Structures are given as C-alpha cells and as structure tokens.
Amino acid sequence: MQQLIDTHVHLNFESFQGDLDQVAQNWRDAGVTQLVHSCVEPSEFDAIRAIADRFPEISFAVGLHPLDMDKWTSDIPSRILTLAQSDSRVVAIGEMGLDFFKADDRDQQVAAFVAQLEIAHQLELPIIVHCRDAAADMSAVLEAFWQRTGPGSGVMHCWTGTPEETQRFLDMGFYVSFSGIVTFNSAKVVQASAQTVPDDRLLVETDCPFLTPVPKRKERRNQPANVRYVAEYVAQLRGMSLETVMAKTTANAQRLFKLPVPTLA
C-alpha cells in the first residue's frame, strides 16, 4: 500500500481523548504510516510523548507557538533544549514563528522565535514554522539569523501565503506544507501557491483537530486519516496522480525530519 505522512498533528488535544485508538485505526486504514506531532508549548511534552509511546509511527517536536507568548519565561529556552535532547523521537523544534493576525506583540514574538532558532541550530534540527500575516518579518528574521549561523532547514506549515511569498521561502530552502485549507473554495491564493512548490519540497498535513478538508467539512474534528483528501486535492491542482503525490510527500517528509523508512508488510 502507498505510504502517506501527516506532517502536522495535535493529537493531545481534548477532542481526541475518547477515541484515539479508533482514530489511529482510521489513519492506518487510510495509508498514513507516519505522523509528526507538533507542540504548542513545552508543558505538552509529556502528553505528546505518552501518545508516541502508544503509537510507534509518531515522531514529535517541542517548541512554543507565537500566540502563547504569555507562557514565555526566561527558562523556556533551556526547557525546550533539555526536552529536545531527552528523546530520540524529537525530530524538530516547533511549532514556532510569528503571527501578527491575532496578536501585535511583535518584539516578544521575534525574540522567542530567534531563541528557538538558536536551539534548532545547536541541535541541527529542522524547524516547524507558523507564519500568519508576517511573511516579510519572518523572512527578514530568518535571513539575518542564517547569515550569522549558516542555513538551516524547516517547513512552512499550514501554508497560506501568496506564490511570491512561497517563492521567497523556497529560495531560503524551506519545504512547504499544505493543510485542508487548500481544498476550500475560497482559498484561490493557497491553491495557486500549491501549484508552484517543486516536487521535492512539497508536504501535506491536517493540523488536526483543525481545518477539516473538503469533503469532510461537516465533521467538526479533523483527523490524520483526512490527510489523504489534502493529497488528492493537491494532486488534482498539480495535474499529478495521487500515488505520485503520496510518494513525493512521503520521501520529502522522511528526508526533512530524518524519519525512519518503515518496512511495509
């Protein structure tokens, strides 16, 4: 069976507490063989690790989301560093980034972002980047940081930027991941961007439990099995077969996050 990787999930959220075993069966039935579990704040780490203990196909990250700056304290960077070093299943730092759509604490967000970039650089891990209404600032911060340290790697997750913004981050070496948003009728800009990403930089995700894709929009809770609908829509946009998109995005995710290549029965 063709493999598929959901590169961004939040299975520790309350909406999954009652039926996570069934949710796992659903993703396995849909061909999802690996998942990357993102982290909104370091206090989630133990719960995320416990989920990965139950489901060996899960790797995970640790970081602080830009909309959680109220939780940023002087010891957060050392906590993120220590947690990232504590488990070999940590494959990235994040999610981290800038969000000026819902918040205006720009200086604090930038400071927290740079601190987490330092950790990713130290550990030679990719970053999972949240960027909303902040592409210009984001690229400026990254360019300045990487000019000092040398280039890093990462993914622009749940990407909603324009084709021009997309190209800017592609030029910086980023992978670009599309969520269920790409399937929405109103998402013409996102769809245009999804057509521009090279085959070797393309990723897909659910960002579950959010952003349920078409044709499952009536389901309030998104789940990893639905990443297949994202892949199908991206394949249609790009004039490619679903099998090709699955193969490309799987190889890309395994390369970026250094995931093990599973042996399929």
mmCIF file of all heavy atoms in Angstrom, residues 87-128:
data_model
loop_
_atom_site.group_PDB
_atom_site.id
_atom_site.type_symbol
_atom_site.label_atom_id
_atom_site.label_comp_id
_atom_site.label_asym_id
_atom_site.label_seq_id
_atom_site.Cartn_x
_atom_site.Cartn_y
_atom_site.Cartn_z
ATOM 1 N N ASP A 87 14.751 12.818 24.160
ATOM 2 C CA ASP A 87 14.063 11.726 23.471
ATOM 3 C C ASP A 87 14.474 11.729 22.006
ATOM 4 O O ASP A 87 14.374 12.763 21.330
ATOM 5 C CB ASP A 87 12.546 11.908 23.599
ATOM 6 C CG ASP A 87 11.774 10.634 23.280
ATOM 7 O OD1 ASP A 87 11.972 10.077 22.168
ATOM 8 O OD2 ASP A 87 10.968 10.194 24.113
ATOM 9 N N SER A 88 14.906 10.594 21.521
ATOM 10 C CA SER A 88 15.383 10.490 20.134
ATOM 11 C C SER A 88 14.266 10.647 19.123
ATOM 12 O O SER A 88 14.520 10.821 17.930
ATOM 13 C CB SER A 88 16.083 9.144 19.917
ATOM 14 O OG SER A 88 15.162 8.072 20.116
ATOM 15 N N ARG A 89 13.026 10.609 19.576
ATOM 16 C CA ARG A 89 11.900 10.772 18.664
ATOM 17 C C ARG A 89 11.596 12.239 18.374
ATOM 18 O O ARG A 89 10.731 12.530 17.548
ATOM 19 C CB ARG A 89 10.663 10.073 19.230
ATOM 20 C CG ARG A 89 10.800 8.559 19.290
ATOM 21 C CD ARG A 89 9.662 7.921 20.053
ATOM 22 N NE ARG A 89 9.689 8.300 21.478
ATOM 23 C CZ ARG A 89 8.824 7.853 22.391
ATOM 24 N NH1 ARG A 89 7.851 7.019 22.026
ATOM 25 N NH2 ARG A 89 8.915 8.235 23.651
ATOM 26 N N VAL A 90 12.284 13.159 19.037
ATOM 27 C CA VAL A 90 12.133 14.583 18.725
ATOM 28 C C VAL A 90 12.854 14.862 17.408
ATOM 29 O O VAL A 90 14.071 14.710 17.319
ATOM 30 C CB VAL A 90 12.697 15.472 19.847
ATOM 31 C CG1 VAL A 90 12.675 16.936 19.422
ATOM 32 C CG2 VAL A 90 11.893 15.287 21.134
ATOM 33 N N VAL A 91 12.084 15.273 16.398
ATOM 34 C CA VAL A 91 12.646 15.440 15.052
ATOM 35 C C VAL A 91 12.651 16.890 14.588
ATOM 36 O O VAL A 91 13.092 17.189 13.482
ATOM 37 C CB VAL A 91 11.887 14.568 14.027
ATOM 38 C CG1 VAL A 91 12.072 13.086 14.334
ATOM 39 C CG2 VAL A 91 10.398 14.938 13.973
ATOM 40 N N ALA A 92 12.147 17.817 15.438
ATOM 41 C CA ALA A 92 12.066 19.220 15.026
ATOM 42 C C ALA A 92 11.858 20.095 16.256
ATOM 43 O O ALA A 92 11.458 19.619 17.328
ATOM 44 C CB ALA A 92 10.923 19.434 14.032
ATOM 45 N N ILE A 93 12.106 21.384 16.078
ATOM 46 C CA ILE A 93 11.751 22.387 17.065
ATOM 47 C C ILE A 93 10.531 23.141 16.535
ATOM 48 O O ILE A 93 10.540 23.646 15.416
ATOM 49 C CB ILE A 93 12.912 23.362 17.330
ATOM 50 C CG1 ILE A 93 14.152 22.595 17.813
ATOM 51 C CG2 ILE A 93 12.507 24.414 18.360
ATOM 52 C CD1 ILE A 93 13.975 21.828 19.115
ATOM 53 N N GLY A 94 9.476 23.212 17.344
ATOM 54 C CA GLY A 94 8.280 23.921 16.925
ATOM 55 C C GLY A 94 7.010 23.291 17.479
ATOM 56 O O GLY A 94 7.087 22.302 18.231
ATOM 57 N N GLU A 95 5.843 23.889 17.224
ATOM 58 C CA GLU A 95 5.822 24.898 16.198
ATOM 59 C C GLU A 95 6.146 26.267 16.790
ATOM 60 O O GLU A 95 5.787 26.570 17.916
ATOM 61 C CB GLU A 95 4.484 24.935 15.466
ATOM 62 C CG GLU A 95 3.270 25.334 16.288
ATOM 63 C CD GLU A 95 1.972 25.214 15.497
ATOM 64 O OE1 GLU A 95 1.665 26.103 14.677
ATOM 65 O OE2 GLU A 95 1.269 24.200 15.734
ATOM 66 N N MET A 96 6.787 27.059 15.996
ATOM 67 C CA MET A 96 7.310 28.351 16.399
ATOM 68 C C MET A 96 7.082 29.320 15.251
ATOM 69 O O MET A 96 6.733 28.904 14.152
ATOM 70 C CB MET A 96 8.807 28.225 16.676
ATOM 71 C CG MET A 96 9.576 27.654 15.481
ATOM 72 S SD MET A 96 11.242 27.090 15.847
ATOM 73 C CE MET A 96 12.128 28.621 15.817
ATOM 74 N N GLY A 97 7.258 30.620 15.501
ATOM 75 C CA GLY A 97 7.115 31.537 14.378
ATOM 76 C C GLY A 97 6.566 32.885 14.768
ATOM 77 O O GLY A 97 6.789 33.382 15.882
ATOM 78 N N LEU A 98 5.807 33.469 13.844
ATOM 79 C CA LEU A 98 5.242 34.805 14.015
ATOM 80 C C LEU A 98 3.787 34.798 13.548
ATOM 81 O O LEU A 98 3.474 34.214 12.502
ATOM 82 C CB LEU A 98 6.025 35.844 13.197
ATOM 83 C CG LEU A 98 7.529 35.959 13.461
ATOM 84 C CD1 LEU A 98 8.169 36.931 12.466
ATOM 85 C CD2 LEU A 98 7.803 36.403 14.894
ATOM 86 N N ASP A 99 2.924 35.451 14.325
ATOM 87 C CA ASP A 99 1.512 35.564 13.962
ATOM 88 C C ASP A 99 1.050 36.970 14.313
ATOM 89 O O ASP A 99 0.815 37.285 15.481
ATOM 90 C CB ASP A 99 0.676 34.528 14.717
ATOM 91 C CG ASP A 99 -0.761 34.440 14.214
ATOM 92 O OD1 ASP A 99 -1.343 35.504 13.903
ATOM 93 O OD2 ASP A 99 -1.296 33.328 14.140
ATOM 94 N N PHE A 100 0.951 37.828 13.297
ATOM 95 C CA PHE A 100 0.508 39.199 13.512
ATOM 96 C C PHE A 100 -0.951 39.389 13.129
ATOM 97 O O PHE A 100 -1.456 40.510 13.109
ATOM 98 C CB PHE A 100 1.393 40.175 12.718
ATOM 99 C CG PHE A 100 2.856 40.079 13.083
ATOM 100 C CD1 PHE A 100 3.829 40.399 12.159
ATOM 101 C CD2 PHE A 100 3.255 39.665 14.343
ATOM 102 C CE1 PHE A 100 5.181 40.310 12.479
ATOM 103 C CE2 PHE A 100 4.606 39.577 14.686
ATOM 104 C CZ PHE A 100 5.566 39.904 13.750
ATOM 105 N N PHE A 101 -1.639 38.271 12.831
ATOM 106 C CA PHE A 101 -3.062 38.329 12.539
ATOM 107 C C PHE A 101 -3.870 38.430 13.835
ATOM 108 O O PHE A 101 -4.808 39.216 13.933
ATOM 109 C CB PHE A 101 -3.496 37.089 11.751
ATOM 110 C CG PHE A 101 -4.962 37.029 11.448
ATOM 111 C CD1 PHE A 101 -5.503 37.799 10.426
ATOM 112 C CD2 PHE A 101 -5.819 36.201 12.173
ATOM 113 C CE1 PHE A 101 -6.861 37.746 10.141
ATOM 114 C CE2 PHE A 101 -7.176 36.138 11.888
ATOM 115 C CZ PHE A 101 -7.694 36.920 10.872
ATOM 116 N N LYS A 102 -3.462 37.652 14.824
ATOM 117 C CA LYS A 102 -4.214 37.596 16.074
ATOM 118 C C LYS A 102 -3.514 38.310 17.233
ATOM 119 O O LYS A 102 -4.080 38.417 18.315
ATOM 120 C CB LYS A 102 -4.468 36.135 16.472
ATOM 121 C CG LYS A 102 -5.427 35.400 15.554
ATOM 122 C CD LYS A 102 -5.740 34.028 16.086
ATOM 123 C CE LYS A 102 -6.763 33.304 15.216
ATOM 124 N NZ LYS A 102 -7.082 31.959 15.739
ATOM 125 N N ALA A 103 -2.288 38.737 17.049
ATOM 126 C CA ALA A 103 -1.553 39.365 18.144
ATOM 127 C C ALA A 103 -0.634 40.448 17.586
ATOM 128 O O ALA A 103 -0.246 40.405 16.416
ATOM 129 C CB ALA A 103 -0.741 38.319 18.907
ATOM 130 N N ASP A 104 -0.273 41.414 18.437
ATOM 131 C CA ASP A 104 0.586 42.506 17.980
ATOM 132 C C ASP A 104 1.835 42.661 18.858
ATOM 133 O O ASP A 104 2.481 43.712 18.843
ATOM 134 C CB ASP A 104 -0.185 43.832 17.927
ATOM 135 C CG ASP A 104 -0.794 44.190 19.282
ATOM 136 O OD1 ASP A 104 -0.524 43.481 20.271
ATOM 137 O OD2 ASP A 104 -1.528 45.197 19.344
ATOM 138 N N ASP A 105 2.172 41.606 19.614
ATOM 139 C CA ASP A 105 3.365 41.644 20.464
ATOM 140 C C ASP A 105 4.601 41.260 19.636
ATOM 141 O O ASP A 105 5.298 40.295 19.931
ATOM 142 C CB ASP A 105 3.200 40.727 21.672
ATOM 143 C CG ASP A 105 2.757 39.309 21.294
ATOM 144 O OD1 ASP A 105 2.419 39.074 20.113
ATOM 145 O OD2 ASP A 105 2.748 38.445 22.184
ATOM 146 N N ARG A 106 4.868 42.067 18.614
ATOM 147 C CA ARG A 106 5.874 41.722 17.625
ATOM 148 C C ARG A 106 7.243 41.454 18.248
ATOM 149 O O ARG A 106 7.879 40.437 17.953
ATOM 150 C CB ARG A 106 5.998 42.842 16.587
ATOM 151 C CG ARG A 106 7.043 42.551 15.520
ATOM 152 C CD ARG A 106 7.357 43.752 14.658
ATOM 153 N NE ARG A 106 8.328 43.430 13.628
ATOM 154 C CZ ARG A 106 9.633 43.331 13.838
ATOM 155 N NH1 ARG A 106 10.128 43.535 15.056
ATOM 156 N NH2 ARG A 106 10.447 43.019 12.857
ATOM 157 N N ASP A 107 7.717 42.347 19.088
ATOM 158 C CA ASP A 107 9.070 42.213 19.615
ATOM 159 C C ASP A 107 9.235 40.944 20.433
ATOM 160 O O ASP A 107 10.256 40.254 20.333
ATOM 161 C CB ASP A 107 9.439 43.430 20.464
ATOM 162 C CG ASP A 107 9.591 44.697 19.633
ATOM 163 O OD1 ASP A 107 9.697 44.580 18.393
ATOM 164 O OD2 ASP A 107 9.599 45.792 20.213
ATOM 165 N N GLN A 108 8.228 40.629 21.226
ATOM 166 C CA GLN A 108 8.316 39.408 22.038
ATOM 167 C C GLN A 108 8.269 38.164 21.155
ATOM 168 O O GLN A 108 9.003 37.204 21.391
ATOM 169 C CB GLN A 108 7.187 39.368 23.069
ATOM 170 C CG GLN A 108 7.348 38.235 24.085
ATOM 171 C CD GLN A 108 6.300 38.269 25.172
ATOM 172 O OE1 GLN A 108 5.300 38.964 25.044
ATOM 173 N NE2 GLN A 108 6.513 37.518 26.241
ATOM 174 N N GLN A 109 7.416 38.179 20.145
ATOM 175 C CA GLN A 109 7.355 37.030 19.225
ATOM 176 C C GLN A 109 8.686 36.825 18.522
ATOM 177 O O GLN A 109 9.165 35.689 18.389
ATOM 178 C CB GLN A 109 6.247 37.238 18.195
ATOM 179 C CG GLN A 109 4.841 37.037 18.726
ATOM 180 C CD GLN A 109 3.815 36.949 17.612
ATOM 181 O OE1 GLN A 109 4.096 36.390 16.546
ATOM 182 N NE2 GLN A 109 2.633 37.495 17.831
ATOM 183 N N VAL A 110 9.286 37.911 18.053
ATOM 184 C CA VAL A 110 10.567 37.801 17.348
ATOM 185 C C VAL A 110 11.638 37.259 18.287
ATOM 186 O O VAL A 110 12.440 36.390 17.910
ATOM 187 C CB VAL A 110 10.985 39.161 16.751
ATOM 188 C CG1 VAL A 110 12.430 39.105 16.253
ATOM 189 C CG2 VAL A 110 10.049 39.551 15.607
ATOM 190 N N ALA A 111 11.674 37.751 19.508
ATOM 191 C CA ALA A 111 12.681 37.289 20.464
ATOM 192 C C ALA A 111 12.527 35.802 20.752
ATOM 193 O O ALA A 111 13.520 35.052 20.803
ATOM 194 C CB ALA A 111 12.572 38.097 21.758
ATOM 195 N N ALA A 112 11.287 35.352 20.929
ATOM 196 C CA ALA A 112 11.048 33.932 21.188
ATOM 197 C C ALA A 112 11.391 33.086 19.963
ATOM 198 O O ALA A 112 11.932 31.975 20.092
ATOM 199 C CB ALA A 112 9.590 33.721 21.588
ATOM 200 N N PHE A 113 11.086 33.602 18.804
ATOM 201 C CA PHE A 113 11.405 32.897 17.563
ATOM 202 C C PHE A 113 12.916 32.724 17.413
ATOM 203 O O PHE A 113 13.408 31.620 17.137
ATOM 204 C CB PHE A 113 10.811 33.674 16.389
ATOM 205 C CG PHE A 113 11.017 33.037 15.046
ATOM 206 C CD1 PHE A 113 10.787 31.689 14.841
ATOM 207 C CD2 PHE A 113 11.417 33.806 13.956
ATOM 208 C CE1 PHE A 113 10.957 31.105 13.590
ATOM 209 C CE2 PHE A 113 11.591 33.237 12.709
ATOM 210 C CZ PHE A 113 11.367 31.885 12.522
ATOM 211 N N VAL A 114 13.658 33.797 17.622
ATOM 212 C CA VAL A 114 15.121 33.723 17.481
ATOM 213 C C VAL A 114 15.717 32.772 18.514
ATOM 214 O O VAL A 114 16.631 31.999 18.210
ATOM 215 C CB VAL A 114 15.743 35.131 17.585
ATOM 216 C CG1 VAL A 114 17.271 35.038 17.668
ATOM 217 C CG2 VAL A 114 15.322 35.981 16.395
ATOM 218 N N ALA A 115 15.201 32.801 19.740
ATOM 219 C CA ALA A 115 15.703 31.897 20.777
ATOM 220 C C ALA A 115 15.516 30.439 20.367
ATOM 221 O O ALA A 115 16.384 29.584 20.613
ATOM 222 C CB ALA A 115 15.001 32.179 22.099
ATOM 223 N N GLN A 116 14.375 30.146 19.737
ATOM 224 C CA GLN A 116 14.126 28.773 19.297
ATOM 225 C C GLN A 116 14.948 28.426 18.055
ATOM 226 O O GLN A 116 15.357 27.266 17.869
ATOM 227 C CB GLN A 116 12.631 28.569 19.061
ATOM 228 C CG GLN A 116 11.844 28.639 20.371
ATOM 229 C CD GLN A 116 10.347 28.471 20.162
ATOM 230 O OE1 GLN A 116 9.827 27.353 20.134
ATOM 231 N NE2 GLN A 116 9.649 29.587 20.019
ATOM 232 N N LEU A 117 15.207 29.413 17.205
ATOM 233 C CA LEU A 117 16.126 29.183 16.086
ATOM 234 C C LEU A 117 17.501 28.788 16.600
ATOM 235 O O LEU A 117 18.172 27.912 16.018
ATOM 236 C CB LEU A 117 16.235 30.444 15.226
ATOM 237 C CG LEU A 117 15.056 30.788 14.322
ATOM 238 C CD1 LEU A 117 15.285 32.150 13.667
ATOM 239 C CD2 LEU A 117 14.849 29.717 13.253
ATOM 240 N N GLU A 118 17.926 29.410 17.669
ATOM 241 C CA GLU A 118 19.231 29.085 18.269
ATOM 242 C C GLU A 118 19.267 27.621 18.706
ATOM 243 O O GLU A 118 20.268 26.927 18.496
ATOM 244 C CB GLU A 118 19.508 29.994 19.462
ATOM 245 C CG GLU A 118 19.676 31.462 19.128
ATOM 246 C CD GLU A 118 21.076 31.819 18.656
ATOM 247 O OE1 GLU A 118 21.907 30.905 18.446
ATOM 248 O OE2 GLU A 118 21.340 33.028 18.477
ATOM 249 N N ILE A 119 18.189 27.163 19.311
ATOM 250 C CA ILE A 119 18.134 25.771 19.766
ATOM 251 C C ILE A 119 18.175 24.814 18.580
ATOM 252 O O ILE A 119 18.918 23.825 18.588
ATOM 253 C CB ILE A 119 16.856 25.541 20.602
ATOM 254 C CG1 ILE A 119 16.906 26.387 21.882
ATOM 255 C CG2 ILE A 119 16.686 24.064 20.936
ATOM 256 C CD1 ILE A 119 15.573 26.479 22.593
ATOM 257 N N ALA A 120 17.377 25.098 17.563
ATOM 258 C CA ALA A 120 17.372 24.242 16.376
ATOM 259 C C ALA A 120 18.756 24.195 15.737
ATOM 260 O O ALA A 120 19.215 23.127 15.293
ATOM 261 C CB ALA A 120 16.329 24.748 15.373
ATOM 262 N N HIS A 121 19.422 25.344 15.687
ATOM 263 C CA HIS A 121 20.774 25.398 15.122
ATOM 264 C C HIS A 121 21.733 24.557 15.961
ATOM 265 O O HIS A 121 22.536 23.781 15.418
ATOM 266 C CB HIS A 121 21.245 26.842 15.057
ATOM 267 C CG HIS A 121 22.671 26.989 14.625
ATOM 268 N ND1 HIS A 121 23.108 26.663 13.361
ATOM 269 C CD2 HIS A 121 23.769 27.416 15.312
ATOM 270 C CE1 HIS A 121 24.408 26.894 13.277
ATOM 271 N NE2 HIS A 121 24.832 27.337 14.444
ATOM 272 N N GLN A 122 21.654 24.702 17.265
ATOM 273 C CA GLN A 122 22.544 23.956 18.163
ATOM 274 C C GLN A 122 22.364 22.455 18.007
ATOM 275 O O GLN A 122 23.341 21.698 18.000
ATOM 276 C CB GLN A 122 22.283 24.369 19.613
ATOM 277 C CG GLN A 122 23.150 23.638 20.633
ATOM 278 C CD GLN A 122 22.875 24.100 22.051
ATOM 279 O OE1 GLN A 122 22.326 25.181 22.270
ATOM 280 N NE2 GLN A 122 23.242 23.295 23.028
ATOM 281 N N LEU A 123 21.111 22.017 17.873
ATOM 282 C CA LEU A 123 20.804 20.588 17.809
ATOM 283 C C LEU A 123 20.764 20.053 16.377
ATOM 284 O O LEU A 123 20.562 18.860 16.171
ATOM 285 C CB LEU A 123 19.472 20.312 18.492
ATOM 286 C CG LEU A 123 19.389 20.683 19.982
ATOM 287 C CD1 LEU A 123 18.017 20.349 20.531
ATOM 288 C CD2 LEU A 123 20.483 19.970 20.781
ATOM 289 N N GLU A 124 20.931 20.951 15.396
ATOM 290 C CA GLU A 124 20.868 20.578 13.975
ATOM 291 C C GLU A 124 19.538 19.907 13.650
ATOM 292 O O GLU A 124 19.487 18.873 12.974
ATOM 293 C CB GLU A 124 22.055 19.688 13.594
ATOM 294 C CG GLU A 124 23.403 20.384 13.751
ATOM 295 C CD GLU A 124 24.567 19.527 13.302
ATOM 296 O OE1 GLU A 124 24.407 18.284 13.228
ATOM 297 O OE2 GLU A 124 25.633 20.085 13.021
ATOM 298 N N LEU A 125 18.456 20.529 14.140
ATOM 299 C CA LEU A 125 17.108 20.034 13.872
ATOM 300 C C LEU A 125 16.370 21.017 12.973
ATOM 301 O O LEU A 125 16.601 22.229 13.042
ATOM 302 C CB LEU A 125 16.333 19.877 15.177
ATOM 303 C CG LEU A 125 16.728 18.715 16.081
ATOM 304 C CD1 LEU A 125 15.957 18.783 17.393
ATOM 305 C CD2 LEU A 125 16.475 17.373 15.394
ATOM 306 N N PRO A 126 15.453 20.521 12.148
ATOM 307 C CA PRO A 126 14.612 21.420 11.342
ATOM 308 C C PRO A 126 13.606 22.144 12.223
ATOM 309 O O PRO A 126 13.352 21.739 13.372
ATOM 310 C CB PRO A 126 13.920 20.471 10.358
ATOM 311 C CG PRO A 126 13.887 19.162 11.069
ATOM 312 C CD PRO A 126 15.143 19.099 11.888
ATOM 313 N N ILE A 127 13.035 23.214 11.693
ATOM 314 C CA ILE A 127 12.033 23.985 12.423
ATOM 315 C C ILE A 127 10.670 23.833 11.754
ATOM 316 O O ILE A 127 10.572 23.696 10.538
ATOM 317 C CB ILE A 127 12.424 25.478 12.510
ATOM 318 C CG1 ILE A 127 12.676 26.086 11.127
ATOM 319 C CG2 ILE A 127 13.646 25.640 13.410
ATOM 320 C CD1 ILE A 127 12.970 27.587 11.145
ATOM 321 N N ILE A 128 9.629 23.838 12.582
ATOM 322 C CA ILE A 128 8.245 23.844 12.109
ATOM 323 C C ILE A 128 7.730 25.256 12.327
ATOM 324 O O ILE A 128 7.615 25.716 13.467
ATOM 325 C CB ILE A 128 7.389 22.819 12.869
ATOM 326 C CG1 ILE A 128 7.912 21.403 12.628
ATOM 327 C CG2 ILE A 128 5.926 22.934 12.442
ATOM 328 C CD1 ILE A 128 7.224 20.340 13.479
#
